[in-house]
Amino acid sequence: MSIWRRTIRTSPRLSLRLDDGLAAVFAGELLDPSPEIWIVSPWVSDVPVLDNSDQDFDVLLGDGFVGPVAFTAVLGRLAELGSLLHLTVKPDDHNRDFINRLSRHVPTTHLDIHHAADVHEKTLCGSNWVVSGSMNFTWRGFEVNEESVVYEIDPALAAQSRLDFEHRWPTP
Amino acid sequence: MNQADEFLAVFFGPGNLVLPDLNFEGEVGRRLTPYLEPLRQGTKTPLVLPRRTREITDAYVICWDRHQATSLRAILEAFVAHSYVAFDGRPRRLDPADPVEGAVLRLVGPDTAYVLRPPGPAHAASMWRALDLMRILIAGRPERVSAVPRPLGRMLSEFHAALAAGNAAGSADLLDELAGAGLSAVNLAYLRVHRLSRLGRDAELLALPQLGDVVASGPPQLVRDGILAAWGRLQLLDLPMSDPDLVKKAADAILRDTRGIVALARTPLATLSDDALAAVTLVALGRDDRDLARSLASLPDLPNELRSQLPKLTGAPLVETAKPTVPRVRLAPTAPASWVDWVFEVADFTADDVDWTAWPAPVESDAFLAEALEGVKDAEADQAWNLVGPFLEADDMRRPAWRTAKALLVLAASYDRWAPNDVATVQALLEVFLRGAPPADEYREILDMLAENAGRWAVVGNTLPALDMVDDVARSPVSDVDARLRFALAALEPFSRHRRRLSTDLRWLGEQLSVELSAPLAWDVPEPLTDTGEEIPNVIGAKVLIYSLDDGVLQRSADRLAQLFPRVTVNRAHDRVGTPQLRAHARGADVIGLATRCAKHAATGFIRDHASEGAVIIEADGAGSASLIRAVASGLAEMGPPFT
């Protein structure tokens, strides 16, 4: 049973964006990192996920993060804090660029990458939260498409999701 | 260097003298080429690879997954088993610290490789010729079209039945089949925990990598109980609850557990086993949880040893209670409330939906239950098999519900339940039926029914449960000698005809049963399978412990093992909980054979926890003497000369 659940419907026409919701997710993670984070998305881009223009997140990010902070930079910081990152994407050049960038931020000991041609779901999952819905973690997903995303704080749901992911894409 | 080359470089590297220079272009390398083709071409056909250590060359038969290993077992039986090499049908437990076996583990994972060691040079040449022929035939075999998957419900009922019947290997195979059949990962993890709990593999259960996620996922009662009970047994079996320092140490351990097992110590408590309640008591003590302590104190059948701990928190005086005979749980009004109710509602409720542990034992309603099962229609026959696992779990050794067992045996015959895993279940049902000393007409009816169907179940692939069935008949009260002889001849003749495909110990057992049942059949029991005819040195003086709750099976197994292995010491155990004597036997045993049907998890877990590090522990694949003898024989074979 969810402790907290929020559905976010993004719409560029109405200026409804996911940024604020994701900012809360990643700020929470930077405060108390999950041992494992799963990112499952057919396509993924190095989109900005935190806006540090006002330096609100300095205390969480440390020095050197000014303005919009990219996905790979936040994930790199989480890996520094001890999180193991699991990434499942389609085998594609677009995703390879993201993986190359991510590899520069994250040591191989904290990175578990899977390529799945038939992956369709889009989910982010930490130790007690799940973000899932129709949106790829790409620029179009964030800025252009109308999407519906559910953000749930639910330790049981997160654990069940991890069991499912680990079964489909076992960590070597 | 690709994955195949990396694997070959390690497999034929240190620890394997077959190709010391790793020259795959040389004479030996060229001879190896056809053996390496599946790996290099990326086809997922089994690999047969040699490994030489000193004078011995083993064959590593490597499958790509457990399902393939299961299907290859019968093929290996047919090609090489017993004629050229001892083979117990079990994949090798590979040693990750061994460079060669570590490479195999990294390539295909555990429980997927067989290691065949011929007893001497003459047998080795024959074995490799046979394996070469097997390899060629497998390579030339057309790609199999995947069969239509069986219904999940049927597989689940077979899984529960196999587990209850003590068919450890069968339940593992069914779990693998379920994994490939679309069962959700979460339910698969729950079944895995339940299986390990049922087999008393406490340490293995608590070491599961996904245990933290299982705990956090809000598991069902059965799984919650399994995890808490495993923890309780592992921490507490040797710990007198009267010692406050030891209690505090154990309480601290569960509170510090990083998988969050402490979160499972919560209400409802009514359906938890005593071992799980011990863990909950520790949590209550460890964190001064008065509400939890009061909930524990309210349980009418809380063990007094645990109850004596609670006044520290609740302030209430200790009240010694006797074990009540009423069930702990009040069932939801929608669920069936008895075994008979369940039969009438089998279409709506599976074994996972009902709390049968709270019902009176099946023997209390044996006649009504049997009658209800006899009335099951074709459309519900599959669902009715859901009862088998729980029925066997609920079996009371002293008061068998033999009429119900008979009705389920008739159901098995009527609906062709003769698959290998079903036969182990049929054997367990037959044992319950015979233990009830049925009258002559019922006895005759069932034995003749089984004899008529012997062609379906008395086949080499089912040797163990089939011989277990014959052994059950041989040791049970006989009310019709002719019916018993007809059954014995029908059941044993196929094995006598195919005796060369049986291991020495099973041929010997077949001969014993033939004599006992006056069924004159040829068995040609050979001398031990070594070129020199000598016993394996390590086995001389070995200590064996066999465990079963069935005294008859235990006695006959011990007597026969004493004849088969005269220089081995055999100890028996049928304790329901850990005892000082059981601890001494477990610690001193080189080989431990466990019959897990109706076993008390407390005792099997205790045995595992106290076994020495080098002990070989083998679960029998059935509940009878044949299975237990085979388990011990294969365990003794594992004690052969170590790798050097």
Side-chain angles (χ1 to χ4, degrees):
Chain A
M1 197 169 131
S2 287
I3 295 171
W4 188 85
R5 177 189 173 104
R6 182 181 165 200
T7 302
I8 306 167
R9 296 185 191 284
T10 67
S11 171
R13 290 178 298 109
L14 303 175
S15 297
L16 294 172
R17 297 160 53 88
L18 184 65
D19 302 25
D20 292 344
L22 274 187
V25 170
F26 287 115
E29 279 300 304
L30 290 163
L31 276 167
D32 183 16
S34 297
E36 296 183 58
I37 297 174
W38 278 89
I39 303 146
V40 180
S41 178
W43 314 104
V44 61
S45 307
D46 201 9
V47 288
V49 291
L50 283 177
D51 184 356
N52 200 31
S53 300
D54 298 331
Q55 299 182 295
D56 294 337
F57 298 108
D58 275 0
V59 70
L60 299 178
L61 291 165
D63 296 334
F65 295 92
V66 180
V69 185
F71 198 6
T72 55
V74 172
L75 293 174
R77 180 74 183 126
L78 289 172
E80 271 178 34
L81 294 168
S83 295
L84 170 62
L85 307 176
H86 302 272
L87 176 71
T88 300
V89 292
K90 281 182 180 286
D92 184 88
D93 286 346
H94 174 90
N95 294 326
R96 194 165 301 120
D97 290 343
F98 177 84
I99 291 167
N100 289 340
R101 284 175 186 237
L102 188 61
S103 301
R104 287 198 289 272
H105 288 279
V106 179
T108 53
T109 51
H110 285 64
L111 194 55
D112 171 36
I113 295 173
H114 302 271
H115 291 103
D118 53 356
V119 66
H120 183 68
E121 76 175 278
K122 297 91 176 175
T123 301
L124 277 174
C125 175
S127 62
N128 61 2
W129 56 267
V130 179
V131 174
S132 62
S134 62
M135 192 187 79
N136 282 297
F137 298 101
T138 60
W139 182 83
R140 283 191 68 82
F142 272 57
E143 304 287 346
V144 179
N145 300 340
E146 295 195 353
E147 307 278 5
S148 171
V149 176
V150 179
Y151 173 27
E152 286 182 270
I153 296 177
D154 182 342
L157 176 68
Q160 289 168 11
S161 301
R162 283 194 302 274
L163 284 168
D164 186 44
F165 295 151
E166 186 62 43
H167 179 67
R168 288 154 69 187
W169 303 297
T171 308
Chain B
M1 194 183 261
N2 61 26
Q3 186 194 25
D5 291 333
E6 278 178 25
F7 167 76
L8 292 173
V10 180
F11 187 90
F12 290 103
N16 187 350
L17 303 175
V18 165
L19 205 62
D21 54 358
L22 282 180
N23 178 9
F24 289 96
E25 305 304 318
E27 187 189 344
V28 177
R30 280 199 300 275
R31 284 215 307 271
L32 279 174
T33 299
Y35 292 88
L36 311 182
E37 268 178 7
L39 189 65
R40 288 180 166 159
Q41 293 176 358
T43 58
K44 296 288 183 184
T45 50
L47 291 162
V48 182
L49 299 177
R51 178 190 186 178
R52 187 158 75 241
T53 49
R54 294 196 180 171
E55 299 305 309
I56 303 162
T57 301
D58 294 326
Y60 278 64
V61 183
I62 301 166
C63 300
W64 292 91
D65 55 47
R66 292 179 190 189
H67 185 68
Q68 189 179 64
T70 302
S71 63
L72 194 71
R73 186 184 303 152
I75 297 173
L76 280 170
E77 281 269 4
F79 272 88
V80 296
H82 315 307
S83 311
Y84 310 127
V85 64
F87 181 66
D88 65 0
R90 296 170 190 271
R92 167 73 156 258
R93 279 173 288 194
L94 297 171
D95 176 7
D98 177 273
V100 175
E101 296 197 347
V104 178
L105 275 172
R106 286 191 295 279
L107 183 74
V108 294
D111 303 326
T112 56
Y114 298 99
V115 179
L116 307 175
R117 171 167 294 189
H123 286 99
S126 306
M127 181 190 83
W128 279 103
R129 273 197 300 274
L131 285 176
D132 207 29
L133 178 61
M134 182 189 85
R135 180 188 58 76
I136 291 164
L137 289 171
I138 288 176
R141 195 170 56 174
E143 198 69 37
R144 285 186 63 181
V145 178
S146 294
V148 177
R150 301 189 301 140
L152 268 179
R154 182 170 183 136
M155 278 190 270
L156 279 167
S157 69
E158 285 179 18
F159 171 79
H160 287 298
L163 209 48
N167 180 5
S171 62
D173 292 346
L174 283 159
L175 199 56
D176 288 341
E177 193 179 353
L178 282 161
L183 188 72
S184 78
V186 176
N187 283 320
L188 208 56
Y190 292 164
L191 290 182
R192 191 166 289 124
V193 168
H194 175 52
R195 178 174 178 271
L196 293 176
S197 162
R198 183 67 187 72
L199 296 174
R201 296 190 188 178
D202 297 337
E204 201 176 331
L205 189 161
L206 294 173
L208 281 173
Q210 68 265 53
L211 187 67
D213 285 337
V214 170
V215 169
S217 68
Q221 289 291 83
L222 199 66
V223 174
R224 183 166 78 102
D225 181 83
I227 296 168
L228 282 168
W231 195 94
R233 281 193 296 267
L234 212 57
Q235 291 285 335
L236 291 173
L237 267 177
D238 260 358
L239 193 153
M241 292 289 272
S242 54
D243 184 331
D245 290 341
L246 290 175
V247 167
K248 185 179 184 317
K249 190 176 166 190
D252 288 347
I254 195 169
L255 292 174
R256 281 199 315 270
D257 183 89
T258 54
R259 281 81 47 89
I261 291 174
V262 66
L264 300 178
R266 52 175 165 74
T267 55
L269 302 172
T271 58
L272 293 184
S273 63
D274 290 351
D275 288 335
L277 289 171
V280 176
T281 304
L282 282 172
V283 172
L285 293 169
R287 63 184 185 199
D288 290 332
D289 189 331
R290 290 167 193 277
D291 289 342
L292 192 56
R294 275 191 284 273
S295 300
L296 282 161
S298 70
L299 294 173
D301 53 347
L302 185 73
N304 286 324
E305 191 191 23
L306 301 179
R307 189 178 298 282
S308 65
Q309 300 294 313
L310 299 175
K312 300 168 191 171
L313 293 180
T314 60
L318 168 65
V319 180
E320 294 276 333
T321 58
K323 286 272 181 188
T325 54
V326 294
R328 285 174 174 176
V329 177
R330 186 181 302 281
L331 291 169
T334 51
S338 70
W339 293 95
V340 177
D341 284 356
W342 191 14
V343 175
F344 290 119
E345 298 178 56
V346 282
D348 301 318
F349 294 97
T350 69
D352 298 321
D353 303 325
V354 295
D355 186 12
W356 53 266
T357 58
W359 301 341
V363 71
E364 303 290 349
S365 54
D366 192 23
F368 292 119
L369 185 53
E371 194 180 337
L373 281 165
E374 283 159 12
V376 163
K377 302 286 185 294
D378 286 2
E380 294 160 348
D382 242 13
Q383 289 104 321
W385 201 247
N386 275 320
L387 268 81
V388 175
F391 170 77
L392 290 171
E393 290 254 17
D395 174 43
D396 182 337
M397 291 298 284
R398 284 158 300 189
R399 297 187 305 150
W402 66 267
R403 293 177 185 84
T404 305
K406 180 196 166 194
L408 289 166
L409 284 166
V410 171
L411 198 69
S414 306
Y415 294 95
D416 278 343
R417 291 235 168 227
W418 305 118
N421 285 321
D422 289 329
V423 177
T425 306
V426 166
Q427 181 269 324
L429 289 170
L430 177 64
E431 189 277 326
V432 175
F433 170 75
L434 293 167
R435 194 166 5 107
D441 56 335
E442 310 260 14
Y443 179 90
R444 186 166 45 247
E445 182 189 344
I446 288 299
L447 260 56
D448 281 346
M449 180 190 80
L450 291 170
E452 282 166 23
N453 285 283
R456 310 288 306 280
W457 56 267
V459 296
V460 170
N462 296 335
T463 304
L464 288 179
L467 290 184
D468 280 345
M469 282 165 74
V470 180
D471 192 56
D472 287 335
V473 170
R475 70 189 175 91
S476 300
V478 54
S479 50
D480 185 327
V481 176
D482 290 343
R484 189 175 75 161
L485 180 60
R486 287 194 297 273
F487 170 84
L489 285 168
L492 289 175
E493 190 279 330
F495 296 107
S496 163
R497 196 165 5 110
H498 293 284
R499 57 191 175 275
R500 297 194 195 293
R501 294 178 60 188
L502 303 185
S503 59
T504 302
D505 50 301
L506 292 180
R507 275 201 235 185
W508 179 86
L509 181 61
E511 187 175 65
Q512 298 290 307
L513 290 167
S514 284
V515 171
E516 201 170 349
L517 295 165
S518 310
L521 293 164
W523 294 95
D524 302 336
V525 180
E527 291 302 308
L529 188 65
T530 64
D531 281 2
T532 59
E534 292 173 5
E535 286 184 77
I536 302 167
N538 288 13
V539 169
I540 297 169
K543 290 190 175 67
V544 169
L545 173 64
I546 52 175
Y547 175 87
S548 169
L549 277 187
D550 187 325
D551 282 338
V553 166
L554 214 50
Q555 183 65 55
R556 286 167 74 85
S557 301
D559 292 348
R560 286 171 170 163
L561 284 166
Q563 292 177 59
L564 261 175
F565 302 103
R567 294 204 270 179
V568 164
T569 305
V570 180
N571 289 309
R572 294 171 290 158
H574 57 87
D575 309 67
R576 290 168 180 268
V577 294
T579 62
Q581 186 188 33
L582 184 60
R583 185 190 315 127
H585 284 328
R587 281 181 180 164
D590 300 300
V591 172
I592 298 173
L594 300 172
T596 58
R597 193 200 144 205
C598 299
K600 287 295 167 197
H601 317 185
T604 52
F606 182 89
I607 290 168
R608 288 176 190 282
D609 299 341
H610 290 286
S612 68
E613 201 173 331
V616 180
I617 304 175
I618 300 205
E619 289 142 352
D621 286 336
S625 301
S627 297
L628 204 46
I629 289 167
R630 184 85 283 273
V632 170
S634 66
L636 289 168
E638 268 191 50
M639 288 181 59
F643 269 128
T644 47

